[in-house]
Amino acid sequence: MTDLSMPSSSVRLGAAVPVSAPDIDKNATGDVSVAKAPTKKRPLHKQLTFALLMTGGMVTLMSLYNTALHTWFNFTLFDWLSGMFLRWPIAFVASLTIGDVVAKRVLMPLVRKKASPTGWIASHITPFCKVNAMVPFMTFFASLLSAGISQDLLPLWAFTYVTTLPAALTANVALVGPVARKMYSLVFGEKF
């Protein structure tokens, strides 16, 4: 029998060394599964910084896209920037409220229930759900600014929503998400 109080250099090779058993979690059906280690939550200032980077990037691209689309590329820099700076604070607040609540509590459980995604798809579930939660609200807000409360509001919103959703998903996954993560890692020295 090996005395565990002895220094590690005096333990024989091949001797049995006690290893602690993993914590187990028994759910209501009686199935046993190994409990996952708790994930470390990011501090609030880091979450807010990432939200600012993401909403800033998305609003910049989507304002340019929608301004160009609705004016058939006949717009000034002022048209684009005025829309962008007006929408950014709204998008930031909506991201922290509507985006997080709808994406994390409604859409993500639905997506995970229908499929067990892995790899690249699993890593993009959160952005996919958040974009799908944000686009209806942001396109309605932008349409309300453009048309006001009138009979043109709903048709304009429907057109803007249908044309914006694919562009927003593509921009988020292909450009804004990776750039925001890179900027976050440069600022904080860790991956998001």
Side-chain angles (χ1 to χ4, degrees), residues 4 9 18 20 36 39 52 56 62 101-102 112 116 118 133 136 142 158 162 164 178 185 192:
L4 294 177
S9 60
S20 62
K36 293 182 179 178
T39 56
L52 277 172
M62 298 318 298
V101 170
V102 173
R112 287 195 172 130
S116 298
T118 59
V162 168
T164 300
S185 66
F192 189 86

mmCIF file of all heavy atoms in Angstrom, residues 4 9 18 20 36 39 52 56 62 101-102 112 116 118 133 136 142 158 162 164 178 185 192:
data_model
loop_
_atom_site.group_PDB
_atom_site.id
_atom_site.type_symbol
_atom_site.label_atom_id
_atom_site.label_comp_id
_atom_site.label_asym_id
_atom_site.label_seq_id
_atom_site.Cartn_x
_atom_site.Cartn_y
_atom_site.Cartn_z
ATOM 1 N N LEU A 4 0.285 8.004 0.933
ATOM 2 C CA LEU A 4 0.096 9.215 0.134
ATOM 3 C C LEU A 4 0.749 10.432 0.760
ATOM 4 O O LEU A 4 0.852 11.470 0.130
ATOM 5 C CB LEU A 4 -1.389 9.480 -0.075
ATOM 6 C CG LEU A 4 -2.095 8.428 -0.928
ATOM 7 C CD1 LEU A 4 -3.574 8.747 -1.025
ATOM 8 C CD2 LEU A 4 -1.488 8.348 -2.296
ATOM 9 N N SER A 9 8.087 11.602 -5.415
ATOM 10 C CA SER A 9 9.224 10.887 -5.991
ATOM 11 C C SER A 9 9.394 9.508 -5.382
ATOM 12 O O SER A 9 10.027 8.645 -5.961
ATOM 13 C CB SER A 9 10.515 11.699 -5.804
ATOM 14 O OG SER A 9 10.752 11.891 -4.416
ATOM 15 N N PRO A 18 -5.253 7.195 -5.508
ATOM 16 C CA PRO A 18 -6.684 7.507 -5.478
ATOM 17 C C PRO A 18 -7.015 8.737 -6.319
ATOM 18 O O PRO A 18 -6.270 9.710 -6.316
ATOM 19 C CB PRO A 18 -6.966 7.765 -4.004
ATOM 20 C CG PRO A 18 -5.655 7.861 -3.328
ATOM 21 C CD PRO A 18 -4.607 7.342 -4.236
ATOM 22 N N SER A 20 -10.320 11.293 -7.263
ATOM 23 C CA SER A 20 -11.670 11.626 -6.816
ATOM 24 C C SER A 20 -12.671 11.350 -7.935
ATOM 25 O O SER A 20 -12.393 11.565 -9.108
ATOM 26 C CB SER A 20 -11.742 13.091 -6.392
ATOM 27 O OG SER A 20 -11.444 13.905 -7.501
ATOM 28 N N LYS A 36 -21.444 19.137 -15.469
ATOM 29 C CA LYS A 36 -20.473 19.999 -16.145
ATOM 30 C C LYS A 36 -19.892 20.994 -15.160
ATOM 31 O O LYS A 36 -20.557 21.411 -14.219
ATOM 32 C CB LYS A 36 -21.149 20.762 -17.287
ATOM 33 C CG LYS A 36 -21.593 19.866 -18.414
ATOM 34 C CD LYS A 36 -22.193 20.676 -19.521
ATOM 35 C CE LYS A 36 -22.619 19.780 -20.670
ATOM 36 N NZ LYS A 36 -23.234 20.526 -21.739
ATOM 37 N N THR A 39 -19.556 27.400 -15.733
ATOM 38 C CA THR A 39 -18.881 28.344 -16.630
ATOM 39 C C THR A 39 -18.696 29.670 -15.909
ATOM 40 O O THR A 39 -19.536 30.090 -15.137
ATOM 41 C CB THR A 39 -19.694 28.565 -17.918
ATOM 42 O OG1 THR A 39 -20.997 29.000 -17.557
ATOM 43 C CG2 THR A 39 -19.771 27.302 -18.740
ATOM 44 N N LEU A 52 -21.289 46.790 -27.279
ATOM 45 C CA LEU A 52 -21.041 48.036 -28.026
ATOM 46 C C LEU A 52 -20.350 47.749 -29.352
ATOM 47 O O LEU A 52 -20.690 48.343 -30.384
ATOM 48 C CB LEU A 52 -20.191 48.996 -27.196
ATOM 49 C CG LEU A 52 -20.915 49.854 -26.182
ATOM 50 C CD1 LEU A 52 -19.918 50.598 -25.299
ATOM 51 C CD2 LEU A 52 -21.845 50.831 -26.868
ATOM 52 N N GLY A 56 -22.386 48.366 -32.726
ATOM 53 C CA GLY A 56 -21.767 49.400 -33.558
ATOM 54 C C GLY A 56 -21.471 48.897 -34.949
ATOM 55 O O GLY A 56 -21.780 49.559 -35.949
ATOM 56 N N MET A 62 -25.605 47.745 -41.468
ATOM 57 C CA MET A 62 -27.008 47.644 -41.857
ATOM 58 C C MET A 62 -27.607 49.008 -42.211
ATOM 59 O O MET A 62 -28.484 49.084 -43.064
ATOM 60 C CB MET A 62 -27.821 46.945 -40.761
ATOM 61 C CG MET A 62 -27.372 45.508 -40.484
ATOM 62 S SD MET A 62 -26.996 44.513 -41.953
ATOM 63 C CE MET A 62 -28.562 44.478 -42.769
ATOM 64 N N VAL A 101 -33.066 38.475 -24.075
ATOM 65 C CA VAL A 101 -34.216 37.750 -23.527
ATOM 66 C C VAL A 101 -34.816 36.814 -24.568
ATOM 67 O O VAL A 101 -34.989 35.623 -24.326
ATOM 68 C CB VAL A 101 -35.285 38.739 -22.997
ATOM 69 C CG1 VAL A 101 -36.565 38.018 -22.648
ATOM 70 C CG2 VAL A 101 -34.755 39.470 -21.783
ATOM 71 N N VAL A 102 -35.136 37.349 -25.752
ATOM 72 C CA VAL A 102 -35.775 36.535 -26.783
ATOM 73 C C VAL A 102 -34.823 35.454 -27.294
ATOM 74 O O VAL A 102 -35.202 34.294 -27.451
ATOM 75 C CB VAL A 102 -36.292 37.416 -27.941
ATOM 76 C CG1 VAL A 102 -36.812 36.570 -29.093
ATOM 77 C CG2 VAL A 102 -37.376 38.343 -27.444
ATOM 78 N N ARG A 112 -32.141 24.205 -30.072
ATOM 79 C CA ARG A 112 -31.456 23.051 -29.481
ATOM 80 C C ARG A 112 -32.382 21.857 -29.316
ATOM 81 O O ARG A 112 -31.935 20.721 -29.318
ATOM 82 C CB ARG A 112 -30.849 23.453 -28.144
ATOM 83 C CG ARG A 112 -29.645 24.338 -28.339
ATOM 84 C CD ARG A 112 -28.836 24.451 -27.082
ATOM 85 N NE ARG A 112 -27.597 25.147 -27.374
ATOM 86 C CZ ARG A 112 -27.149 26.177 -26.682
ATOM 87 N NH1 ARG A 112 -27.812 26.620 -25.641
ATOM 88 N NH2 ARG A 112 -26.019 26.759 -27.010
ATOM 89 N N SER A 116 -29.330 18.704 -32.426
ATOM 90 C CA SER A 116 -28.190 18.719 -31.512
ATOM 91 C C SER A 116 -26.972 19.161 -32.303
ATOM 92 O O SER A 116 -26.167 18.348 -32.742
ATOM 93 C CB SER A 116 -27.956 17.328 -30.924
ATOM 94 O OG SER A 116 -29.069 16.937 -30.179
ATOM 95 N N THR A 118 -23.413 20.660 -33.596
ATOM 96 C CA THR A 118 -22.037 20.561 -33.125
ATOM 97 C C THR A 118 -21.153 21.436 -33.986
ATOM 98 O O THR A 118 -21.551 21.885 -35.052
ATOM 99 C CB THR A 118 -21.524 19.101 -33.224
ATOM 100 O OG1 THR A 118 -21.618 18.680 -34.586
ATOM 101 C CG2 THR A 118 -22.324 18.173 -32.331
ATOM 102 N N ALA A 133 -33.858 37.762 -33.319
ATOM 103 C CA ALA A 133 -34.633 38.489 -32.314
ATOM 104 C C ALA A 133 -34.566 39.993 -32.540
ATOM 105 O O ALA A 133 -35.534 40.711 -32.286
ATOM 106 C CB ALA A 133 -34.117 38.147 -30.916
ATOM 107 N N PRO A 136 -36.493 42.022 -36.391
ATOM 108 C CA PRO A 136 -37.877 42.534 -36.451
ATOM 109 C C PRO A 136 -38.038 43.870 -35.723
ATOM 110 O O PRO A 136 -38.693 44.782 -36.238
ATOM 111 C CB PRO A 136 -38.702 41.438 -35.769
ATOM 112 C CG PRO A 136 -37.879 40.219 -35.866
ATOM 113 C CD PRO A 136 -36.454 40.662 -35.847
ATOM 114 N N ALA A 142 -36.762 51.439 -37.633
ATOM 115 C CA ALA A 142 -36.271 52.207 -38.789
ATOM 116 C C ALA A 142 -37.427 52.593 -39.717
ATOM 117 O O ALA A 142 -37.471 53.711 -40.245
ATOM 118 C CB ALA A 142 -35.230 51.395 -39.553
ATOM 119 N N ALA A 158 -42.445 45.331 -43.703
ATOM 120 C CA ALA A 158 -42.365 43.981 -44.269
ATOM 121 C C ALA A 158 -41.244 43.896 -45.309
ATOM 122 O O ALA A 158 -40.441 42.953 -45.301
ATOM 123 C CB ALA A 158 -43.703 43.587 -44.887
ATOM 124 N N VAL A 162 -37.806 41.637 -44.728
ATOM 125 C CA VAL A 162 -37.459 40.543 -45.650
ATOM 126 C C VAL A 162 -36.100 40.777 -46.313
ATOM 127 O O VAL A 162 -35.322 39.841 -46.503
ATOM 128 C CB VAL A 162 -38.575 40.362 -46.708
ATOM 129 C CG1 VAL A 162 -38.134 39.451 -47.839
ATOM 130 C CG2 VAL A 162 -39.828 39.821 -46.043
ATOM 131 N N THR A 164 -33.649 42.716 -45.080
ATOM 132 C CA THR A 164 -32.582 42.931 -44.110
ATOM 133 C C THR A 164 -32.121 41.654 -43.423
ATOM 134 O O THR A 164 -30.934 41.500 -43.132
ATOM 135 C CB THR A 164 -33.034 43.961 -43.049
ATOM 136 O OG1 THR A 164 -33.334 45.179 -43.709
ATOM 137 C CG2 THR A 164 -31.965 44.215 -42.011
ATOM 138 N N PRO A 178 -16.640 38.150 -36.184
ATOM 139 C CA PRO A 178 -15.194 37.921 -36.078
ATOM 140 C C PRO A 178 -14.395 39.189 -35.755
ATOM 141 O O PRO A 178 -13.456 39.147 -34.965
ATOM 142 C CB PRO A 178 -14.815 37.377 -37.462
ATOM 143 C CG PRO A 178 -16.064 36.760 -37.986
ATOM 144 C CD PRO A 178 -17.184 37.602 -37.442
ATOM 145 N N SER A 185 -10.533 40.737 -28.010
ATOM 146 C CA SER A 185 -9.320 40.052 -27.540
ATOM 147 C C SER A 185 -8.124 40.997 -27.505
ATOM 148 O O SER A 185 -7.246 40.861 -26.651
ATOM 149 C CB SER A 185 -9.010 38.825 -28.404
ATOM 150 O OG SER A 185 -8.673 39.195 -29.712
ATOM 151 N N PHE A 192 -13.400 35.990 -26.634
ATOM 152 C CA PHE A 192 -14.802 36.098 -26.239
ATOM 153 C C PHE A 192 -15.503 34.837 -26.666
ATOM 154 O O PHE A 192 -15.373 34.384 -27.761
ATOM 155 C CB PHE A 192 -15.468 37.317 -26.880
ATOM 156 C CG PHE A 192 -16.839 37.571 -26.314
ATOM 157 C CD1 PHE A 192 -16.987 38.321 -25.163
ATOM 158 C CD2 PHE A 192 -17.959 37.015 -26.913
ATOM 159 C CE1 PHE A 192 -18.253 38.550 -24.633
ATOM 160 C CE2 PHE A 192 -19.220 37.240 -26.378
ATOM 161 C CZ PHE A 192 -19.364 37.997 -25.238
#
